[in-house]
Amino acid sequence: NGLDCVGNSIVVRNSTINNSFYRGMLWSTTYLAPSCSLTFVGNTVSQNNRQGLYINCTEGYALVDNNQILNNGWDGLYAGNCNGDVSITNNFISSNYRGLYLSCGCRATSTGLVSGNVIVDNYAGQSVGSWPNDNGNYMGNIGSGAGIEISGQDMDYTIEHNLIFNNGAYATYAGVYINGLQMGEITESEIELL
């Protein structure tokens, strides 16, 4: 990974993270340090072999705002196991395998917001290289959900005021793919269905 931060709070501003063999950045809370926070603002994350930004926020808070997330081999931004508060706002997410992947919610007391993002020109093709990936991480449905894939149960994300267009998929659901039992709401987003 280009930058790893596990069990600590971190602020990353106005930085460039690119050309990592695995992820551009991994940020994760732990049961020993559950109240960590991530502030990830004004960065460019590009051309990493796997996810551009990988968030595992079991508790705590993550703010991902005003970033350029481009040309990453897997997800531009992956947020999984997020029981903490996660805000993904005002980002330009383009030319990744999949733009944004939200996974495994279980968010009984926390909130998630995806707002003001432009998610464009991502393509969920037939192959993403070696899969399943390291440490058993789940890549989701290969060939689906190029713009946003939401996969999990009882997720409580509000998705609003996003532009999601010109995404392609080898299989199905190029714009938004929802695979779960219950979710928050999607409002006032422009979604181009191809």
Side-chain angles (χ1 to χ4, degrees), residues 11-163:
V11 175
V12 181
R13 289 188 192 274
N14 304 320
S15 299
T16 299
I17 302 171
N18 62 6
N19 296 312
S20 174
F21 184 74
Y22 285 104
R23 299 173 184 99
M25 180 177 177
L26 165 69
W27 178 75
S28 181
T29 57
T30 69
Y31 70 94
L32 296 174
S35 297
C36 298
S37 65
L38 167 67
T39 302
F40 195 81
V41 176
N43 303 292
T44 299
V45 181
S46 66
Q47 298 183 2
N48 299 288
N49 283 344
R50 296 195 179 178
Q51 294 91 352
L53 177 58
Y54 185 102
I55 299 172
N56 184 357
C57 180
T58 53
E59 293 186 39
Y61 177 76
L63 169 65
V64 179
D65 182 61
N66 197 30
N67 299 287
Q68 304 279 320
I69 303 174
L70 314 165
N71 299 308
N72 295 288
W74 288 8
D75 305 314
L77 196 159
Y78 172 94
N81 301 315
C82 291
N83 293 324
D85 295 330
V86 177
S87 292
I88 301 167
T89 54
N90 306 310
N91 299 287
F92 183 75
I93 304 173
S94 179
S95 302
N96 304 285
Y97 174 83
R98 181 172 28 241
L100 174 59
Y101 185 32
L102 306 173
S103 174
C104 300
C106 305
R107 307 173 59 83
T109 60
S110 301
T111 60
L113 175 65
V114 178
S115 180
N117 300 288
V118 175
I119 302 173
V120 59
D121 292 330
N122 299 285
Y123 182 76
Q126 190 172 9
S127 175
V128 291
S130 57
W131 182 82
N133 67 7
D134 63 310
N135 300 322
N137 295 323
Y138 180 56
M139 258 305 288
N141 292 297
I142 300 300
S144 298
I148 299 177
E149 181 169 335
I150 303 164
S151 182
Q153 297 179 0
D154 301 321
M155 297 182 75
D156 188 13
Y157 277 93
T158 298
I159 299 175
E160 62 186 11
H161 308 293
N162 298 284
L163 294 175

